[in-house]
Amino acid sequence: MRYRLFIRLLLLCASLALGVHASAQTDPLPSWNNGAAKKAIMDFVQATTTQGSPGFVPPTERIATFDQDGTLWVEHPIYSQVMYCLDRVPALVKAKPELAKVEPFKTVMSGNRQAIAKLPLKDLEKILAATLTGMSVDQFNAEVKKWLAEAKDPRWKRPYTELTYLPMQEVLKYLRANGYKTYIVTGGGQDFVRVYAEATYGVPPEQVVGTAGGTKYAYDKYGKPFLTKEPKLLLNDDRAGKPQGIHLMIGRRPYASFGNSDGDRQMLEYTKAGDGTRLAMIVLHDDEKREYAYGPARGLPATKVGAFTQPLYDEAKKDGWIMISMKNDWKRIFAFEP
Amino acid sequence: MRYRLFIRLLLLCASLALGVHASAQTDPLPSWNNGAAKKAIMDFVQATTTQGSPGFVPPTERIATFDQDGTLWVEHPIYSQVMYCLDRVPALVKAKPELAKVEPFKTVMSGNRQAIAKLPLKDLEKILAATLTGMSVDQFNAEVKKWLAEAKDPRWKRPYTELTYLPMQEVLKYLRANGYKTYIVTGGGQDFVRVYAEATYGVPPEQVVGTAGGTKYAYDKYGKPFLTKEPKLLLNDDRAGKPQGIHLMIGRRPYASFGNSDGDRQMLEYTKAGDGTRLAMIVLHDDEKREYAYGPARGLPATKVGAFTQPLYDEAKKDGWIMISMKNDWKRIFAFEP
């Protein structure tokens, strides 16, 4: 009897040491309805983490990449980073009053929403450059942090960082629990997303790949070095820029990728083009009631934000990418809702 | 008695689960002589990983960066990557015979070592561009792998990947065992170093930051996407480029940095300029017998490779960077030597 107890405890030790917990049997994706999408994720993890399985992937090679806007959190009707840039304009004009009379700053300062929405891309780029560069890295981080603590999404009246999709948070955790390094690969600003990615998604700064600019290294009057954000684009992390960014920042091809728009197409096809078991998934915004319906749910081509066009749809079908229907596959969308 | 056994086993379980092993008491740096350098490393780890210590650093923020050439392995008399590029020239000329008559390829093909050593930087850059870009990422990786398996350092007659410093390998492991993510931050080619960093140092590709070029995304005749290495410099990861590269690729300031030359100065000062307990260390090549003596060991300024000039020396003294004397601090230099 004592011997039996000893064996039992040894087994317990082994299971603790290996990190195998009794809770491993519980559903890792409770906010997902049973269906093809949930099954695809579970099958992928099973195939790539079961020793001896033909699809087994060594732990060091387990990389999964996630688009952010529209894939991990709400992107509609306007990217939160664009909101940030527009919100920064008054402070910018206060610091440089001459800008008040210059477009596009004049329009932004007018507060005329319809006019702001109609600003051409070239003007929007001017606003982004003026509000995202020219300051020290530390100053930028502090400004973003402050904004995130105060700004609220107009529909849900909550901080943007609460508008993450609970089912996708579960996928991030589930993959990490199975040895995957989870990366955000976003068309958004790398420095911007890094400010909140760790607290919001459990993704540390070094696992955020995004659109990135150069920095300048200089010294303050005390001889202390600091970096200034320069208006020089190093990586446009969108479309073909996503596999390029993945190569630059990670250096390995992901085994799983998640996206929701044309901007993710190359990342998804690059992922699927690798050997062995690979997973490519697309979030479809087809839930007008609980979130929004746009893109294929409204007929192709999609709205401007998060464009989703026919070639993406065709390639997804042909290449076996799995669609995630927010309406049908997700039991819950946000953690703050029942 | 049975109860005691139970408690003992539970404690064993706990220690296994927490990863605390009996071996934690053994010297983590056996190839180091006792002295200021070894003590500085041990003290740093103690201060930053002891809960409640004023210098405590949360595990997610534990980042340590290491220069490669001259810090982790031999760089003298010529960087191994330059050897790679020179060795690639015959294959390049075979593929493009017209190059045989064009400088600097003509000189390299002549085999005249003295003439090759005298090639100006501009010519060397032409050789690097021609041998490091223009091919697919997969093809490049395969070529580097093949070369590494065959090429030998002329002095030790061993593969370059065996010429790593055993004491620094111990530091890498010691820091990792204490929750640090170890990064290589090299002036060498990021793609080149990534081919062997995992097998050689236990540093995965995504933790290698180096001089990096752009890539082009395209499709082969079967519609399969691939990346081609382009002769477009994105990051010159040397001098001020090192903190810039750290910001771009990691997004956090390191707590510990290790270098050996002027190229590492900004990385070291950027590290030391952070709050709390920070460690900056410089490897001095002062062991003519077991390795080489150059730089300060021969009087300043240093030789061309791994330049080490007076301002670096002055700043190191003033700012409390710790010097590592290969001769005095290292009991053993290479794993293959007793």
Side-chain angles (χ1 to χ4, degrees), chain A residues 65-84 128 132 147-148 153 160-161 163-165 168 172 183-190 192-194 196-197 200-201 208-211 237-238 242 258-265 267-268 281-285 291-292 294 303-308 312 326 330 334:
Chain A
T65 52
F66 294 79
D67 168 57
Q68 187 194 217
D69 294 303
T71 300
L72 293 180
W73 75 357
V74 176
E75 68 178 353
H76 206 75
I78 189 167
Y79 297 130
S80 54
Q81 189 176 355
V82 173
M83 286 305 301
Y84 169 79
L128 300 195
L132 298 174
W147 181 81
L148 286 168
D153 170 87
Y160 289 100
T161 48
L163 298 184
T164 66
Y165 305 134
M168 294 307 290
L172 284 166
Y183 281 80
I184 291 173
V185 177
T186 174
Q190 181 169 279
F192 186 80
V193 179
R194 279 176 171 174
Y196 57 84
T200 305
Y201 304 110
V208 174
V209 178
T211 296
D237 196 52
D238 195 34
K242 290 208 172 189
F258 299 78
N260 80 304
S261 78
D262 282 13
D264 306 311
R265 186 176 145 198
M267 174 171 79
L268 294 163
M281 298 191 84
I282 297 188
V283 175
L284 283 180
H285 294 267
E291 203 236 13
Y292 295 104
Y294 56 96
T303 47
K304 246 168 66 183
V305 166
F308 190 124
L312 175 66
M326 293 182 76
W330 289 357
F334 300 112

XYZ file of all heavy atoms in Angstrom, chain A residues 65-84 128 132 147-148 153 160-161 163-165 168 172 183-190 192-194 196-197 200-201 208-211 237-238 242 258-265 267-268 281-285 291-292 294 303-308 312 326 330 334:
683
model
N 1.003 33.473 -36.154
C 0.929 34.918 -36.373
C -0.527 35.360 -36.523
O -1.329 34.697 -37.181
C 1.731 35.317 -37.629
O 1.317 34.521 -38.734
C 3.219 35.124 -37.414
N -0.820 36.492 -35.912
C -2.180 37.034 -35.900
C -2.179 38.480 -36.397
O -1.467 39.322 -35.830
C -2.736 37.045 -34.466
C -2.949 35.679 -33.880
C -1.879 34.951 -33.381
C -4.218 35.126 -33.826
C -2.067 33.678 -32.837
C -4.417 33.862 -33.284
C -3.345 33.134 -32.792
N -2.973 38.744 -37.414
C -3.298 40.127 -37.722
C -4.029 40.709 -36.502
O -4.623 39.967 -35.723
C -4.197 40.155 -38.961
C -4.801 41.523 -39.178
O -4.040 42.491 -39.298
O -6.047 41.623 -39.210
N -3.964 42.024 -36.332
C -4.687 42.601 -35.189
C -6.056 43.194 -35.569
O -7.098 42.641 -35.208
C -3.863 43.683 -34.478
C -4.607 44.094 -33.211
C -4.123 45.368 -32.567
O -4.108 45.464 -31.361
N -3.769 46.357 -33.340
N -6.074 44.286 -36.321
C -7.329 44.999 -36.596
C -8.309 44.126 -37.371
O -8.034 43.725 -38.503
C -7.035 46.280 -37.382
C -6.242 47.291 -36.554
O -6.716 47.660 -35.468
O -5.145 47.698 -36.992
N -9.434 43.842 -36.770
C -10.440 43.009 -37.417
C -10.248 41.528 -37.195
O -11.123 40.730 -37.512
N -9.095 41.139 -36.641
C -8.839 39.722 -36.357
C -8.816 39.473 -34.847
O -9.377 38.498 -34.364
C -7.507 39.267 -36.997
O -7.598 39.464 -38.413
C -7.208 37.817 -36.693
N -8.147 40.362 -34.120
C -8.096 40.213 -32.660
C -9.009 41.214 -31.959
O -9.375 41.010 -30.801
C -6.661 40.397 -32.150
C -5.632 39.330 -32.552
C -4.263 39.673 -31.973
C -6.059 37.944 -32.075
N -9.284 42.328 -32.626
C -10.191 43.315 -32.031
C -10.920 44.094 -33.121
O -10.615 43.937 -34.312
C -9.469 44.229 -31.042
C -8.580 45.311 -31.577
C -8.264 45.575 -32.885
C -7.900 46.294 -30.788
N -7.411 46.653 -32.951
C -7.176 47.113 -31.678
C -7.842 46.567 -29.427
C -6.397 48.177 -31.231
C -7.070 47.627 -29.003
C -6.361 48.417 -29.888
N -11.876 44.912 -32.695
C -12.742 45.649 -33.611
C -11.933 46.649 -34.439
O -11.108 47.384 -33.892
C -13.825 46.396 -32.799
C -14.679 47.261 -33.717
C -14.685 45.405 -32.016
N -12.200 46.680 -35.753
C -11.522 47.648 -36.619
C -12.521 48.629 -37.229
O -12.129 49.618 -37.846
C -10.784 46.940 -37.749
C -11.720 46.277 -38.762
C -11.006 45.594 -39.921
O -9.778 45.713 -40.045
O -11.702 44.903 -40.692
N -13.794 48.324 -37.086
C -14.850 49.081 -37.751
C -15.434 50.131 -36.820
O -15.552 49.853 -35.639
C -15.946 48.090 -38.189
C -16.739 48.567 -39.357
N -16.259 48.568 -40.646
C -17.995 49.077 -39.428
C -17.187 49.028 -41.449
N -18.241 49.360 -40.743
N -15.819 51.302 -37.228
C -15.739 51.815 -38.599
C -14.388 52.468 -38.911
O -14.155 52.860 -40.041
C -16.855 52.864 -38.636
C -16.924 53.365 -37.226
C -16.553 52.223 -36.347
N -13.509 52.562 -37.905
C -12.241 53.247 -38.151
C -11.185 52.629 -37.229
O -11.477 52.295 -36.082
C -12.418 54.775 -37.923
C -11.198 55.560 -38.380
C -12.728 55.093 -36.472
C -11.465 57.064 -38.463
N -9.982 52.442 -37.741
C -8.902 51.874 -36.927
C -8.648 52.748 -35.706
O -8.581 53.977 -35.823
C -7.592 51.815 -37.728
C -7.620 50.916 -38.939
C -7.188 51.367 -40.175
C -8.049 49.595 -38.843
C -7.186 50.536 -41.297
C -8.060 48.762 -39.964
C -7.625 49.246 -41.183
O -7.627 48.428 -42.281
N -8.436 52.122 -34.571
C -8.221 52.912 -33.354
C -6.952 53.766 -33.447
O -6.888 54.852 -32.874
C -8.179 52.000 -32.130
O -7.222 50.996 -32.324
N -5.947 53.281 -34.176
C -4.729 54.096 -34.280
C -4.997 55.383 -35.064
O -4.373 56.416 -34.782
C -3.598 53.299 -34.948
C -2.271 54.055 -34.863
C -1.092 53.277 -35.416
O -1.209 52.121 -35.792
N 0.059 53.921 -35.445
N -5.901 55.341 -36.025
C -6.265 56.562 -36.749
C -6.978 57.527 -35.790
O -6.735 58.736 -35.799
C -7.136 56.233 -37.986
C -7.650 57.507 -38.645
C -6.336 55.402 -38.989
N -7.839 56.964 -34.924
C -8.483 57.784 -33.891
C -7.428 58.470 -33.017
O -7.532 59.651 -32.688
C -9.385 56.921 -32.997
C -10.678 56.469 -33.634
S -11.685 57.837 -34.277
C -11.932 58.781 -32.767
N -6.421 57.697 -32.637
C -5.334 58.252 -31.828
C -4.689 59.442 -32.530
O -4.496 60.509 -31.938
C -4.277 57.178 -31.527
C -3.006 57.738 -30.922
C -2.961 58.075 -29.566
C -1.867 57.964 -31.692
C -1.811 58.619 -29.008
C -0.718 58.501 -31.140
C -0.689 58.829 -29.802
O 0.437 59.370 -29.240
N -0.680 61.136 -39.941
C 0.032 60.033 -39.278
C 1.493 60.416 -39.043
O 2.022 60.246 -37.939
C -0.028 58.748 -40.119
C -1.403 58.137 -40.445
C -1.249 56.697 -40.953
C -2.350 58.131 -39.254
N 2.919 60.595 -35.306
C 3.595 59.350 -34.922
C 5.113 59.463 -34.956
O 5.809 58.534 -34.572
C 3.158 58.203 -35.845
C 1.670 57.831 -35.839
C 1.383 56.777 -36.900
C 1.234 57.319 -34.465
N -3.486 58.023 -23.770
C -4.658 58.023 -24.650
C -5.486 56.757 -24.445
O -6.715 56.807 -24.331
C -4.203 58.145 -26.108
C -5.347 58.175 -27.083
C -6.114 59.250 -27.414
C -5.857 57.079 -27.846
N -7.067 58.886 -28.339
C -6.933 57.558 -28.624
C -5.502 55.728 -27.950
C -7.659 56.740 -29.495
C -6.222 54.915 -28.819
C -7.277 55.423 -29.575
N -4.800 55.622 -24.386
C -5.515 54.346 -24.222
C -6.316 54.300 -22.930
O -7.378 53.686 -22.858
C -4.516 53.182 -24.235
C -3.921 52.811 -25.587
C -2.757 51.857 -25.396
C -4.973 52.183 -26.509
N -14.294 53.758 -27.290
C -14.997 53.464 -28.536
C -16.402 54.055 -28.446
O -17.086 53.895 -27.432
C -15.066 51.951 -28.711
C -15.979 51.566 -29.855
O -15.490 51.522 -30.991
O -17.184 51.351 -29.610
N -10.609 50.985 -25.962
C -10.383 50.133 -27.136
C -9.801 48.776 -26.751
O -10.104 47.765 -27.375
C -9.465 50.855 -28.125
C -10.152 52.019 -28.794
C -9.947 53.327 -28.358
C -11.031 51.818 -29.839
C -10.593 54.396 -28.958
C -11.688 52.880 -30.447
C -11.465 54.164 -30.002
O -12.111 55.205 -30.600
N -8.970 48.775 -25.709
C -8.312 47.515 -25.336
C -9.285 46.486 -24.763
O -8.903 45.344 -24.551
C -7.186 47.779 -24.318
O -7.711 48.616 -23.288
C -6.008 48.475 -24.977
N -12.064 45.880 -26.426
C -12.814 45.423 -27.606
C -12.107 44.286 -28.337
O -12.159 44.177 -29.564
C -13.077 46.591 -28.551
C -13.933 47.712 -27.954
C -14.228 48.770 -28.998
C -15.244 47.151 -27.394
N -11.429 43.443 -27.589
C -10.785 42.277 -28.197
C -11.786 41.133 -28.221
O -12.685 41.065 -27.385
C -9.545 41.845 -27.408
O -9.953 41.389 -26.117
C -8.581 43.011 -27.240
N -11.611 40.255 -29.186
C -12.535 39.126 -29.342
C -12.150 38.010 -28.371
O -11.055 37.446 -28.477
C -12.515 38.616 -30.782
C -12.793 39.687 -31.816
C -12.015 39.806 -32.957
C -13.843 40.589 -31.648
C -12.263 40.788 -33.907
C -14.099 41.579 -32.586
C -13.303 41.675 -33.712
O -13.553 42.653 -34.650
N -10.805 34.772 -29.842
C -9.428 34.849 -30.336
C -8.439 34.889 -29.167
O -7.331 34.351 -29.264
C -9.245 36.064 -31.247
C -10.043 35.980 -32.547
S -9.765 34.456 -33.510
C -8.084 34.730 -34.079
N -5.217 32.411 -28.727
C -3.862 32.828 -28.341
C -3.373 31.996 -27.154
O -2.260 31.453 -27.168
C -3.856 34.313 -27.955
C -3.923 35.358 -29.076
C -4.255 36.740 -28.507
C -2.606 35.418 -29.849
N 2.601 35.674 -32.254
C 3.030 36.980 -32.746
C 1.832 37.748 -33.278
O 0.943 37.168 -33.897
C 4.022 36.829 -33.907
C 5.428 36.503 -33.482
C 5.789 35.204 -33.147
C 6.406 37.488 -33.415
C 7.083 34.907 -32.766
C 7.711 37.190 -33.036
C 8.040 35.898 -32.715
O 9.323 35.606 -32.336
N 1.843 39.055 -33.076
C 0.934 39.926 -33.799
C 1.692 40.444 -35.017
O 2.824 40.908 -34.886
C 0.458 41.094 -32.908
C -0.466 40.551 -31.806
C -0.271 42.154 -33.742
C -0.873 41.577 -30.772
N 1.080 40.321 -36.193
C 1.682 40.854 -37.424
C 0.645 41.804 -38.021
O -0.325 41.374 -38.636
C 2.062 39.721 -38.396
C 2.623 40.292 -39.696
C 3.092 38.792 -37.756
N 0.851 43.081 -37.778
C -0.177 44.084 -38.046
C 0.268 45.134 -39.057
O 1.453 45.490 -39.097
C -0.567 44.785 -36.720
O -1.468 45.857 -36.993
C 0.641 45.366 -36.003
N -0.690 45.605 -39.851
C -0.419 46.757 -40.705
C -0.313 48.037 -39.886
O 0.213 49.042 -40.340
N -0.797 47.996 -38.661
C -0.713 49.131 -37.748
C 0.721 49.388 -37.312
O 1.637 48.633 -37.632
N 0.902 50.477 -36.593
C 2.240 50.856 -36.161
C 2.791 49.900 -35.120
O 2.154 49.637 -34.113
N 3.984 49.418 -35.374
C 4.614 48.471 -34.451
C 4.771 49.084 -33.053
O 4.430 48.457 -32.051
C 5.973 48.082 -35.013
C 6.743 47.089 -34.202
C 7.946 46.557 -34.981
O 7.823 45.667 -35.806
N 9.116 47.111 -34.725
N 3.099 51.520 -31.740
C 1.786 51.770 -31.162
C 1.228 50.492 -30.512
O 0.838 50.488 -29.346
C 0.839 52.272 -32.261
C -0.518 52.700 -31.789
C -0.691 53.951 -31.221
C -1.616 51.870 -31.911
C -1.944 54.365 -30.776
C -2.870 52.266 -31.472
C -3.034 53.518 -30.908
N 1.234 49.425 -31.250
C 0.643 48.167 -30.762
C 1.457 47.594 -29.596
O 0.915 47.005 -28.662
C 0.503 47.157 -31.919
C -0.082 45.842 -31.437
C -0.368 47.750 -33.030
N 2.776 47.814 -29.646
C 3.620 47.284 -28.570
C 3.292 47.879 -27.205
O 3.582 47.265 -26.179
C 5.093 47.562 -28.894
C 5.674 46.560 -29.866
C 7.096 46.928 -30.226
N 7.746 45.863 -30.980
C 8.952 45.971 -31.508
N 9.643 47.088 -31.370
N 9.485 44.965 -32.165
N 0.454 48.274 -25.793
C -0.595 47.564 -25.043
C -0.669 46.066 -25.296
O -1.448 45.364 -24.649
C -1.965 48.193 -25.351
C -2.317 48.207 -26.824
C -2.885 47.105 -27.441
C -2.066 49.328 -27.616
C -3.194 47.115 -28.802
C -2.368 49.345 -28.975
C -2.933 48.237 -29.553
O -3.224 48.249 -30.889
N 0.128 45.545 -26.237
C -0.040 44.140 -26.640
C 0.184 43.163 -25.486
O -0.497 42.140 -25.392
C 0.892 43.804 -27.796
N -2.832 43.441 -23.086
C -4.095 43.148 -23.767
C -4.174 41.718 -24.290
O -5.219 41.077 -24.214
C -4.309 44.154 -24.926
O -4.223 45.476 -24.390
C -5.663 43.970 -25.583
N -3.068 41.220 -24.826
C -3.091 39.892 -25.455
C -2.081 38.914 -24.856
O -2.000 37.776 -25.304
C -2.759 40.012 -26.951
C -3.643 40.942 -27.743
C -3.152 42.150 -28.245
C -4.959 40.601 -28.023
C -3.943 42.994 -29.006
C -5.762 41.444 -28.779
C -5.248 42.640 -29.263
O -6.034 43.469 -30.013
N 5.635 41.595 -31.444
C 4.755 42.429 -32.259
C 5.541 42.885 -33.487
O 6.567 43.551 -33.369
C 4.256 43.664 -31.488
C 3.450 44.582 -32.421
C 3.408 43.247 -30.290
N 5.067 42.493 -34.666
C 5.651 42.929 -35.932
C 4.625 43.861 -36.561
O 3.464 43.493 -36.694
C 5.898 41.717 -36.857
C 6.470 42.168 -38.193
C 6.787 40.688 -36.184
N 5.054 45.056 -36.904
C 4.102 45.992 -37.499
C 4.803 46.964 -38.418
O 6.019 46.867 -38.644
N 4.034 47.886 -38.943
C 4.622 48.911 -39.780
C 5.589 49.721 -38.917
O 5.230 50.174 -37.830
C 3.521 49.776 -40.400
O 2.745 48.929 -41.263
C 4.093 50.930 -41.201
N 4.149 46.960 -43.147
C 3.780 45.591 -42.797
C 2.337 45.269 -43.201
O 1.490 44.958 -42.356
C 3.988 45.386 -41.294
C 4.008 43.913 -40.927
O 4.786 43.176 -41.560
O 3.244 43.506 -40.036
N 2.088 45.334 -44.488
C 0.760 45.058 -45.017
C 0.939 44.311 -46.338
O 1.921 44.517 -47.042
C 0.019 46.385 -45.232
C -1.474 46.177 -45.435
O -2.026 45.251 -44.819
O -2.073 46.945 -46.202
N 3.787 41.735 -45.110
C 3.639 40.843 -43.942
C 4.618 39.661 -43.977
O 5.353 39.472 -43.012
C 2.182 40.402 -43.786
C 1.281 41.565 -43.327
C 0.066 41.121 -42.533
C -0.649 42.344 -41.964
N -1.718 42.010 -41.020
N -3.649 33.910 -38.816
C -5.044 34.347 -38.714
C -5.154 35.774 -39.251
O -4.375 36.641 -38.857
C -5.501 34.321 -37.246
C -5.434 32.950 -36.624
C -4.218 32.428 -36.198
C -6.583 32.188 -36.470
C -4.145 31.163 -35.632
C -6.512 30.911 -35.899
C -5.298 30.399 -35.487
N -6.121 35.998 -40.134
C -6.306 37.330 -40.691
C -7.777 37.590 -40.955
O -8.640 36.812 -40.540
N -8.068 38.703 -41.613
C -9.468 38.981 -41.938
C -9.650 39.815 -43.195
O -10.775 40.177 -43.512
C -10.167 39.697 -40.774
C -9.836 41.182 -40.760
O -8.659 41.535 -40.727
N -10.838 42.055 -40.820
N -8.545 40.140 -43.892
C -8.721 41.035 -45.032
C -7.629 40.828 -46.074
O -6.685 40.054 -45.867
C -8.705 42.487 -44.565
O -7.368 42.898 -44.325
N -7.770 41.552 -47.183
C -6.779 41.505 -48.258
C -5.360 41.739 -47.750
O -4.405 41.188 -48.284
C -7.096 42.591 -49.300
C -8.245 42.177 -50.215
O -8.935 41.191 -49.891
O -8.444 42.854 -51.236
N -5.226 42.553 -46.721
C -3.906 42.853 -46.170
C -3.212 41.636 -45.601
O -1.998 41.636 -45.401
N -3.979 40.571 -45.324
C -3.421 39.355 -44.718
C -3.185 38.239 -45.723
O -2.692 37.173 -45.365
C -4.374 38.838 -43.635
C -4.694 39.910 -42.612
O -3.742 40.541 -42.124
O -5.882 40.139 -42.314
N -3.583 38.486 -46.960
C -3.574 37.412 -47.957
C -2.184 36.773 -48.108
O -2.037 35.554 -48.068
C -4.038 37.997 -49.300
C -4.210 36.970 -50.358
C -4.761 37.647 -51.609
N -4.218 37.015 -52.783
C -4.206 37.558 -53.991
N -4.702 38.762 -54.169
N -3.705 36.907 -55.001
N 0.361 36.809 -46.089
C 0.772 36.105 -44.863
C 0.132 34.722 -44.811
O 0.780 33.735 -44.471
C 0.376 36.924 -43.629
C 0.641 36.206 -42.313
S 0.414 37.266 -40.860
C -1.373 37.282 -40.689
N -1.146 34.663 -45.172
C -1.859 33.391 -45.121
C -1.326 32.420 -46.174
O -1.089 31.246 -45.875
C -3.367 33.638 -45.309
C -4.029 34.419 -44.162
C -5.384 34.984 -44.601
C -4.198 33.565 -42.918
N -6.518 30.885 -41.271
C -7.921 31.152 -40.935
C -8.269 32.623 -41.170
O -7.437 33.505 -40.991
C -8.191 30.768 -39.479
C -7.977 29.275 -39.222
S -8.581 28.697 -37.601
C -10.313 28.421 -37.949
N -9.527 32.842 -41.568
C -10.005 34.194 -41.853
C -11.263 34.493 -41.044
O -12.238 33.728 -41.109
C -10.340 34.357 -43.346
C -9.079 34.162 -44.202
C -10.934 35.725 -43.621
C -9.295 34.491 -45.652
N -11.223 35.565 -40.302
C -12.401 36.001 -39.535
C -13.345 36.752 -40.477
O -12.938 37.718 -41.132
C -11.983 36.928 -38.370
C -13.220 37.482 -37.658
C -11.075 36.193 -37.392
N -14.585 36.291 -40.544
C -15.616 36.958 -41.359
C -16.491 37.827 -40.458
O -17.071 37.332 -39.482
C -16.517 35.919 -42.020
C -15.983 35.168 -43.230
C -17.038 34.196 -43.736
C -15.599 36.149 -44.333
N -16.601 39.081 -40.821
C -17.435 39.991 -40.027
C -18.867 39.935 -40.547
O -19.250 40.704 -41.413
C -16.849 41.402 -40.076
C -15.530 41.465 -39.387
N -15.392 41.818 -38.068
C -14.293 41.140 -39.812
C -14.126 41.731 -37.717
N -13.437 41.319 -38.760
N -21.561 42.658 -33.518
C -20.393 43.466 -33.906
C -20.758 44.253 -35.156
O -21.576 45.171 -35.075
C -19.142 42.578 -34.109
C -17.821 43.358 -33.946
C -16.914 43.270 -35.142
O -17.351 42.827 -36.214
O -15.725 43.674 -35.006
N -20.218 43.892 -36.314
C -20.570 44.565 -37.567
C -20.659 43.511 -38.659
O -20.107 42.419 -38.525
C -19.493 45.592 -37.960
C -19.359 46.756 -37.004
C -18.297 46.820 -36.112
C -20.298 47.792 -37.000
C -18.167 47.894 -35.232
C -20.177 48.864 -36.126
C -19.111 48.913 -35.240
O -18.990 49.964 -34.381
N -19.644 43.405 -42.583
C -19.046 44.067 -43.745
C -18.204 43.040 -44.490
O -18.052 41.907 -44.053
C -18.223 45.293 -43.344
C -17.112 45.056 -42.337
C -15.805 44.841 -42.759
C -17.364 45.082 -40.968
C -14.778 44.647 -41.843
C -16.337 44.881 -40.050
C -15.046 44.665 -40.492
O -14.035 44.465 -39.589
N -16.073 47.046 -47.728
C -15.914 48.456 -47.393
C -14.430 48.801 -47.380
O -13.574 47.925 -47.420
C -16.483 48.719 -45.988
O -15.982 47.702 -45.128
C -17.989 48.679 -45.999
N -14.135 50.073 -47.281
C -12.749 50.533 -47.349
C -11.879 49.952 -46.229
O -10.802 49.426 -46.469
C -12.707 52.063 -47.271
C -12.217 52.705 -48.556
C -12.438 54.194 -48.595
C -11.649 54.967 -47.587
N -11.970 56.416 -47.626
N -12.365 50.052 -45.026
C -11.593 49.516 -43.892
C -11.668 47.998 -43.931
O -12.739 47.424 -44.097
C -12.154 50.049 -42.552
C -11.591 49.249 -41.388
C -11.827 51.522 -42.388
N -10.515 47.372 -43.794
C -10.485 45.913 -43.805
C -10.978 45.341 -45.112
O -11.781 44.421 -45.137
N -10.503 45.874 -46.210
C -10.975 45.436 -47.529
C -10.845 43.927 -47.682
O -9.867 43.320 -47.242
C -10.176 46.144 -48.619
N -11.851 43.336 -48.271
C -11.911 41.888 -48.457
C -12.485 41.694 -49.845
O -13.669 41.889 -50.067
C -12.843 41.314 -47.392
C -12.839 39.819 -47.290
C -12.551 39.202 -46.088
C -13.146 39.014 -48.380
C -12.570 37.811 -45.974
C -13.153 37.628 -48.274
C -12.871 37.020 -47.071
N -9.226 37.317 -52.727
C -8.948 36.729 -51.414
C -9.908 35.577 -51.146
O -9.502 34.494 -50.719
C -9.083 37.790 -50.311
C -8.942 37.272 -48.872
C -7.529 36.760 -48.609
C -9.279 38.360 -47.850
N -18.197 34.990 -37.390
C -18.419 35.549 -36.046
C -19.815 35.174 -35.551
O -20.019 34.890 -34.380
C -18.284 37.069 -36.079
C -16.868 37.531 -36.387
S -16.677 39.334 -36.380
C -16.663 39.683 -34.636
N -18.889 31.897 -33.036
C -18.556 32.482 -31.743
C -19.776 32.586 -30.829
O -20.732 33.315 -31.118
C -17.931 33.878 -31.944
C -16.546 33.780 -32.523
C -15.837 32.639 -32.800
C -15.701 34.871 -32.911
N -14.602 32.955 -33.338
C -14.492 34.317 -33.407
C -15.830 36.270 -32.879
C -13.430 35.106 -33.865
C -14.772 37.052 -33.339
C -13.589 36.476 -33.826
N -17.317 39.396 -26.843
C -16.495 40.198 -25.931
C -16.566 39.629 -24.504
O -17.600 39.099 -24.091
C -16.982 41.645 -25.914
C -16.927 42.306 -27.263
C -18.098 42.651 -27.936
C -15.714 42.573 -27.883
C -18.056 43.259 -29.185
C -15.662 43.179 -29.132
C -16.832 43.520 -29.789
